[in-house]
Amino acid sequence: METQIVFRAYRAGDEAAILRFLNRESATACTLDEWSWLLPPREDGRLIVVGDRDGEIVATCAGAPTLVRMHDREWTAIELHQVIASDDTAPLVDAFLETFGADGRFALVLATHTQAAEAAAGFVAAAQRGPVFVRGQPSSVSVARMFYRADPARDWEPRLDDLWKRVRKSYPSAVVRDADRALCRFAAHPSIRFERFLVCPRFSSRVVASAVFTLKDDCLRWVDLVWDHDHSGALELLAFISGRLAGQLGAKREELWLAGDNEAPSLLMKAGFSPEEPSAAPVLAARALVPEIDADEFVASRFLALAVAGGFA
């Protein structure tokens, strides 16, 4: 008779056993440095639950805190990064929610995938509809972009806080794009290089747009985008930078998924991007942990800017 799985919170020293399990169960190998970057230590402990069977880890559900904006308020949420089990994942997700979802610290749990386990645990899910914007050859130079300049972003970039405060009304349901998130999400990754830029009017230090790019195989992918809709030239400059980066890095195409932004598509198409139907629409799942948040509304209206197959931003 097989021993019952015991679900428990992560303990220091579990790392090696978790990595052995992850690399056995998933198609992509994960190093300790990559795992620690994705799930860094926290004063109140990592948000991880494992399934332990006779001292062997056979399941893991892990997430990290993030801020989300909804109804003109910011809420602390959990963004799930790993939900993997040798058997049914439903008891694993239930155990995670019992461990971290009942003490009032978090208002929402987000996932970038949907599983039967999540549905059973009260998650709602919605496919993010919309095209993938793809470009193989940059278009002619925009005049409007000449009135802006781009600076490489630093790991810690407090100017992002000011940008987010000014543009957040354009993103009523979104993950907060502030300096803390940029530091956690894009700085010092052990194996992925992120190219980050801040755009300002040519004779000003005020940031009006931010974008992040990375090279995957032969494709330059836009990983994140936030911009002030009063500054269309800033977005046109980012499209120009994308084309230059693609040429420098040997990319054959550029692509991004953009949902929840009604103004960017026309500017991107003006810059030579073409909308294409994706082979599979990414799915966002969410569960509200407080009555003030409607998870259905959040997943239906959330602003997304992401590289295809690269994860939600």
Side-chain angles (χ1 to χ4, degrees), residues 1 22 31 80 96 103 114 129 142 150 173-174 177-178 201 208 221 224 229 245 261 276 288:
M1 182 176 174
L22 289 175
T31 67
L80 292 183
F96 184 91
D103 60 6
T114 183
R129 302 184 182 280
S142 157
S173 297
R177 301 323 206 266
D178 60 8
V208 296
R221 296 177 169 179
D224 199 18
H229 291 182
L245 276 175
D261 186 330
E276 294 183 0

Side-chain angles (χ1 to χ4, degrees), residues 2 18 29-30 40-41 93-94 107 138 145 169 196 201 206 232 299:
E2 196 172 59
I18 290 174
C30 179
V93 177
D94 286 337
R145 76 165 179 86
K169 288 186 178 180
R196 300 172 53 204
R206 187 181 67 173
S232 60
V299 298

